[in-house]
Amino acid sequence: MRISEQAKQLCRARILEKAAELFAARGFDQTTTRDIALAVGVAAGTMFNYFPSKETMAMTMVNEALAQGREEFLTRLDGGESLEEELFLLIGTELRRLRPLRPFLGPVLERSLSPFPRKSVCPEGETARQEHLECVRQIMLRHGFVTTPEDVAGTIYWSLYLGILASWTGDQSDNQESSRALIDYAIRTFVQMISGAHRGGDHVR
Amino acid sequence: MSAETTRKRGIEARAALLDLMPRQEEAARRRLAELVENVAAKRPPTTSFSRFWILGSLQAKVTCAYLAYWLRSRWADAEERERLKSETHLKAALELLGTMGYLRGAVMKLGQMLATFPDALPDEFARLLPALHFEAPPMHYAMVREVFLDEFGKEPHELFASFGKEAFAAASLGQVHRARLHTGELVAVKIQYPGIARTIESDLKNLRLLMQPMRLGEDWGNVVAKLAEVERVLLAETDYLAEASFAQTVRDSFTPGEGIVIPRVYHDYSTRRVLTTEHLEGVHLEEFLDSAPSQEMRDRYTYLMTVATMRMLYRTHWLLADPNPGNYIFMPDGRLGLVDFGCTRQLSEEEWQMQVEVEDALLRRDEEEMERLVVKASLYDSAEQMGRERLELIGRVIRWQLEPWLSDGIFDFGDEDFFRRGMDAMIEVTRKGFMRGMPVHIWTTRFILGARGVVYRLKGRCDFQEIYRRESGRGGEESTMTSRNEASPPPEGEGQGGGR
C-alpha cells in the first residue's frame, strides 16, 4: 500500500516532534533512535526512511528554525540598518527561533557544524552553514562587500558564528543576555576587520 | 593627520599624563608615565575598537593615571628591587584594565574609587571628578530591539507611539532614549547593556586576583572589604525595578511647590533592565554654565541641590553614591530636576548612628569625641594605634567635609580656598596611603566630593546650616521639620548678599 504524500509529511512532523520532546527531556546523547521510534509508534525501519540518524533529526529541526528566523529577519528590516545592525538582527532573530531547542543543542551543533575535518560530514549541518552564509553574503552585498563562503572573511565569520552558538547553548544568564554582548562584540570585530576602517564611534553624551 | 601632528598630539598626551603624576621623584614619575602611556597607546589586535577599548579614551587614561598614582604611593619608599616587582604588577594591572571587561565594566568606577587625586587646579579637579564615570558600551538600535523583545516580548515601536532610535544620553550601565507613550507623554527610557552584571562580577573577581600579590600590607583586608562593597552597590545598580522603587520614595518626599522634580516612573514600561520615566525638559550643568547664569540662579540651584540631597539623607538615610552633573537637570522654569537614582547606598543602622554621633560631636565642638569617632571610622582601636599623623590628616578631611555644618549664614561653595583645602587634604591622605576606613565611606566621600564639585563649578551659595536644621530637625533650637513642606526656594536675589 502506498501512503499519501500528506501522510508522509504528518509522520515526518510527528517524528520530529517526539524526538524534540525526548531530546529536551533526556538529553540528546541519552536518547536512542529506538526510544524515538517507540514514542512515535512506528517501526525503527520505517523511521530510517525519513531520517537516517538522530543527528539528522536534530539538524533538521535546527535548519527549520534557522530558516524561519531568516525569513522573520527579512521582515524586521527597515532598510536603515548598518552592516553591524543587520548581522546582529539576523543572528538575534535566528537564535530566538532556536531557543526552544536550546536544551539539547550543544552536542548536536558541536557534531554537525564542527569546522574540523570529519569522516562523515552531516549533510544537514552543511546545509545550515551554506544557507546562513548565503544570507550573510546577501547582507554584506547590500553594504558593498563582496564575499564568498569559502574566502577568508567567510571562514572568519563562520568561526565567530560558531563561537557565538557555543556560548549561547551553554549560556546560563537570563535570556542568554551574556551571549548578546558576545554577539555584539563578535560582529563589531568582524566588521572592523573586513572594513579595516578606523571607525568605532564614541559613546553618546 | 600628518605625522607631525600625530607626534605633537603624542607629546601633548604625554605631558597631560605627566601632569597627573606626583611631582616629586622625577625618575619614578617618568617611568610610570611611560608605562601608562605604553599600555594606553597599545592598540588591540583589531585596530580600532575605541568604543570597547577601555584605554582608548582620555578618560580611561586619566583613570589609569589615577590608579598608577595610587599604586605608586605603595612603593614610594621601597627598595629598587621591590619597586621593579611592583612595577611589574602595575603593568599587569594596567594591561588588565585594557582587556578585562571590554564592556568597560566596573573598572572605570574602581579606577576612580581607589583613585587618588592629582595636583590639579581646583577648576580642573572639579571637572575631572564627574568626568570619570564609567559607561557601558553604546548599543545600536538592533540591540535595543532584542533587549525589548526579551523584556517585554514586544519591539519598541510596538510598545511606544514613537521611539528615538538614537540614544540621547549615556547612563552608567546603558543608555537613554526618548520615546512617546500612546497617551502622549514624552518619556525617557533607560536601557541596560545586556549582561553587564556578570561583567561587573567577573571584573571585580579578576581585580581581586590581580591585586592579591601586590601585598597591600595591613590594609589588605580592608581593600577586600571595599571591593566587596563596590561590587554590592554596582550590582544593586543593575536592578532597575529597585531603582524605580527608590525613585518613587524620593519623589514622595517632595511637594510640587518646592522646585525639585523627581521624574515619575512608568511601571508598565519598566522591567529590571528597562526603566521608563517622565522626560524632563532642561539642560545639564555645562550648558547651564555656558548660558552665563546670574548669581541668583546659581544660588537658587545650590539651594535646591542642598535641600534635595539633605532630604534624601535625613529622611531616607540614602546617599546618591555616584553623583555626577548628569543627575541634575536645570529646568527652564528654574526648577531642579533630579534623575538617575541607580547608584545609591542606604546607610545601615550602625552607619547612620555613626553619622549622628559625628554631627553631634561636631555641633557641640567636642574635639575629644571627634577624635574618638575619627579613630573608630578608620577602624582602629585607639588613637595610639592609629598614629598621630594619620589621625590628624583623616581628621582634617572629615572636618573639611563637615565645614558647612559649622558655618553660620551664607556658605560660599564657589570659594576657591575652601575647595582647594579639601582637595589638598584628600591628596595628602592618598599620598600617604591612608586608605583604611569603613567601606561605606567610599560612598560618603564620593557623595560629598561629587556634590562639592558641582556646586564649586556653579559658584553657588546657600544658607547651609539653615537647610540642615530644617531637613534634619536637629542641631538648632527650632526643629522645623513640620514646616518643611511649605518651604520654597528663596525668591531670586533675596538676602543673598548681592549677586555679581
Side-chain angles (χ1 to χ4, degrees):
Chain A
M1 187 182 74
R2 296 178 63 85
I3 57 169
S4 70
E5 187 56 32
Q6 192 187 7
K8 267 189 191 171
Q9 286 305 322
L10 278 173
C11 184
R12 183 180 178 278
R14 194 166 153 70
I15 293 170
L16 288 179
E17 184 195 336
K18 286 289 164 196
E21 278 173 21
L22 287 170
F23 291 157
R26 300 183 189 175
F28 181 76
D29 287 332
Q30 280 70 47
T31 306
T32 63
T33 41
R34 205 182 129 75
D35 297 335
I36 300 168
L38 264 174
V40 181
V42 294
T46 311
M47 203 171 69
F48 285 125
N49 290 335
Y50 292 90
F51 300 101
S53 68
K54 62 177 182 171
E55 275 83 4
T56 316
M57 286 178 211
M59 275 314 288
T60 304
M61 296 175 210
V62 168
N63 277 348
E64 284 177 5
L66 290 177
Q68 282 168 5
R70 282 191 296 272
E71 211 168 290
E72 190 187 332
F73 155 73
L74 291 172
T75 67
R76 293 181 74 191
L77 290 179
D78 72 6
E81 289 87 358
S82 64
L83 176 55
E84 283 100 329
E85 283 186 277
E86 276 202 40
L87 291 173
F88 187 89
L89 218 50
L90 167 68
I91 298 178
T93 316
E94 276 185 348
L95 291 185
R96 206 171 282 286
R97 289 292 186 160
L98 270 188
R99 208 178 258 177
L101 312 181
R102 213 177 72 92
F104 60 86
L105 225 46
V108 179
L109 295 181
E110 194 184 326
R111 258 171 257 176
S112 313
L113 299 179
S114 169
F116 292 104
R118 284 151 299 162
K119 276 190 189 133
S120 59
V121 173
C122 169
E124 283 70 23
E126 189 50 26
T127 308
R129 190 177 81 91
Q130 303 264 5
E131 288 180 352
H132 180 85
L133 285 178
E134 174 55 25
C135 187
V136 169
R137 200 180 67 80
Q138 293 293 339
I139 293 172
M140 289 175 63
L141 206 57
R142 279 204 285 280
H143 292 273
F145 291 93
V146 180
T147 176
T148 65
E150 309 310 330
D151 69 13
V152 176
T155 307
I156 290 176
Y157 175 86
W158 189 245
S159 321
L160 289 169
Y161 182 71
L162 289 184
I164 289 167
L165 287 178
S167 154
W168 178 82
T169 48
D171 189 345
Q172 300 297 314
S173 63
D174 292 347
N175 298 316
Q176 297 84 51
E177 60 176 12
S178 296
S179 297
R180 219 173 279 299
L182 179 72
I183 299 170
D184 189 27
Y185 189 68
I187 289 175
R188 287 181 200 277
T189 307
F190 177 68
V191 173
Q192 292 284 343
M193 191 197 64
I194 59 167
S195 52
H198 287 255
R199 288 197 295 179
D202 284 323
H203 204 295
V204 282
R205 260 273 126 208
Chain B
M1 198 192 309
S2 74
E4 179 59 14
T5 327
T6 315
R7 199 181 62 83
K8 266 195 186 154
R9 287 238 175 119
I11 292 171
E12 280 166 19
R14 178 81 175 274
L17 261 178
L18 274 170
D19 274 350
L20 293 169
M21 300 280 176
R23 295 197 189 285
Q24 74 279 31
E25 297 179 66
E26 190 56 23
R29 189 164 92 98
R30 293 215 164 268
R31 210 156 59 194
L32 260 172
E34 272 167 33
L35 207 59
V36 172
E37 189 189 24
N38 285 344
V39 179
K42 210 165 70 177
R43 283 197 171 276
T46 46
T47 64
S48 48
F49 268 101
S50 62
R51 66 204 313 178
F52 285 116
W53 184 241
I54 187 169
L55 295 175
S57 67
L58 176 66
Q59 178 173 327
K61 283 179 187 166
V62 172
T63 305
C64 285
Y66 275 166
L67 189 67
Y69 184 95
W70 177 71
L71 290 169
R72 193 205 141 274
S73 66
R74 302 269 154 198
W75 80 84
D77 307 318
E79 290 172 14
E80 184 58 20
R81 198 167 54 88
E82 277 296 305
R83 276 195 195 200
L84 283 174
K85 201 167 83 185
S86 304
E87 245 176 49
T88 314
H89 289 311
L90 172 62
K91 191 157 173 280
L94 291 174
E95 274 169 2
L96 185 79
L97 271 177
T99 55
M100 75 196 281
Y102 61 82
L103 298 179
R104 291 201 252 176
V107 183
M108 293 294 282
K109 248 177 194 169
L110 268 172
Q112 311 150 34
M113 281 163 193
L114 301 175
T116 58
F117 308 99
D119 294 315
L121 295 171
D123 280 341
E124 292 165 352
F125 193 85
R127 278 194 182 85
L128 274 174
L129 276 179
L132 290 170
H133 289 260
F134 99 103
E135 290 159 357
M139 286 175 267
H140 45 56
Y141 185 54
M143 173 87 115
V144 170
R145 291 171 74 181
E146 289 296 309
V147 172
F148 264 73
L149 280 178
D150 281 342
E151 295 297 312
F152 299 99
K154 283 183 178 171
E155 298 249 15
H157 65 262
E158 294 175 309
L159 204 59
F160 296 101
S162 68
F163 187 90
K165 287 183 182 176
E166 300 286 331
F168 79 93
S172 57
L173 304 175
Q175 61 197 30
V176 194
H177 291 247
R178 277 195 192 92
R180 196 173 286 283
L181 300 182
H182 287 292
T183 43
E185 292 96 329
L186 192 61
V187 292
V189 186
K190 182 161 86 161
I191 303 150
Q192 194 173 120
Y193 191 88
I196 198 110
R198 278 166 181 255
T199 310
I200 291 170
E201 281 170 352
S202 76
D203 282 359
L204 279 155
K205 197 172 128 211
N206 285 338
L207 198 71
R208 255 189 294 266
L209 283 174
L210 186 99
M211 288 174 77
Q212 191 90 47
M214 288 184 192
R215 299 216 181 94
L216 299 172
E218 53 163 337
D219 290 344
W220 174 240
N222 191 227
V223 171
V224 171
K226 281 182 171 167
L227 288 178
E229 168 75 28
V230 168
E231 184 168 1
R232 192 164 73 85
V233 171
L234 288 181
L235 288 180
E237 192 178 351
T238 61
D239 183 359
Y240 285 178
L241 289 179
E243 179 180 343
S245 142
F246 176 64
Q248 190 60 50
T249 307
V250 178
R251 188 174 148 84
D252 291 344
S253 62
F254 293 96
T255 56
E258 289 183 289
I260 294 165
V261 185
I262 317 294
R264 173 181 164 196
V265 173
Y266 291 92
H267 295 280
D268 291 348
Y269 302 88
S270 301
T271 68
R272 269 168 65 87
R273 304 285 187 243
V274 177
L275 180 63
T276 302
T277 59
E278 176 188 351
H279 182 271
L280 301 184
E281 279 307 323
V283 297
H284 286 152
L285 180 67
E286 290 299 328
E287 212 177 317
F288 177 72
L289 291 177
D290 286 347
S291 71
S294 65
Q295 187 61 43
E296 285 73 19
M297 285 308 279
R298 293 165 184 269
D299 290 348
R300 178 189 163 81
Y301 279 115
T302 305
Y303 169 86
L304 292 174
M305 283 174 188
T306 309
V307 170
T309 46
M310 284 223 189
R311 183 78 50 86
M312 274 190 267
L313 182 63
Y314 289 102
R315 185 180 272 207
T316 62
H317 301 181
W318 282 85
L319 298 172
L320 274 182
D322 190 18
N324 79 74
N327 297 143
Y328 302 108
I329 308 284
F330 298 79
M331 298 176 71
D333 57 6
R335 290 184 300 164
L336 173 73
L338 277 183
V339 297
D340 205 341
F341 296 94
C343 194
T344 54
R345 167 70 152 79
Q346 185 167 35
L347 301 185
S348 69
E349 197 46 51
E350 190 192 350
E351 289 157 355
W352 178 251
Q353 204 46 46
M354 183 83 169
Q355 171 78 15
V356 171
E357 284 176 31
V358 168
E359 283 175 22
D360 281 348
L362 187 80
L363 296 172
R364 287 201 312 273
R365 291 178 160 73
D366 183 341
E367 279 302 316
E368 208 174 309
E369 175 67 356
M370 269 304 276
E371 182 177 296
R372 187 186 72 82
L373 291 166
V374 171
V375 170
K376 191 177 166 191
S378 305
L379 306 174
Y380 286 97
D381 295 328
S382 66
E384 292 68 43
Q385 192 195 21
M386 184 169 174
R388 267 298 128 196
E389 191 190 15
R390 191 185 283 244
L391 181 59
E392 189 279 322
L393 204 46
I394 302 290
R396 189 137 58 92
V397 169
I398 293 179
R399 282 184 187 82
W400 175 79
Q401 293 185 348
L402 296 169
E403 206 166 306
W405 271 260
L406 286 178
S407 311
D408 286 327
I410 299 297
F411 192 90
D412 184 0
F413 285 101
D415 180 54
E416 189 173 327
D417 176 60
F418 167 68
F419 193 71
R420 176 86 261 182
R421 264 192 293 122
M423 295 308 115
D424 283 348
M426 303 284 299
I427 289 166
E428 195 59 19
V429 162
T430 322
R431 188 167 285 161
K432 298 277 183 194
F434 295 163
M435 308 299 278
R436 177 157 154 179
M438 291 162 72
V440 67
H441 290 143
I442 296 170
W443 312 112
T444 47
T445 304
R446 283 184 66 75
F447 172 61
I448 291 176
L449 286 184
R452 293 267 160 97
V454 171
V455 287
Y456 173 74
R457 298 204 56 211
L458 257 181
K459 301 270 175 258
R461 304 164 305 176
C462 67
D463 190 337
F464 188 91
Q465 239 188 21
E466 188 265 333
I467 301 171
Y468 167 66
R469 277 199 295 271
R470 208 174 57 213
E471 294 299 329
S472 69
R474 303 170 59 238
E477 54 297 329
E478 42 167 357
S479 170
T480 51
M481 280 298 274
T482 44
S483 66
R484 188 196 53 242
N485 286 349
E486 287 83 60
S488 59
E492 290 177 19
E494 185 206 318
Q496 300 284 308
R500 276 172 221 164

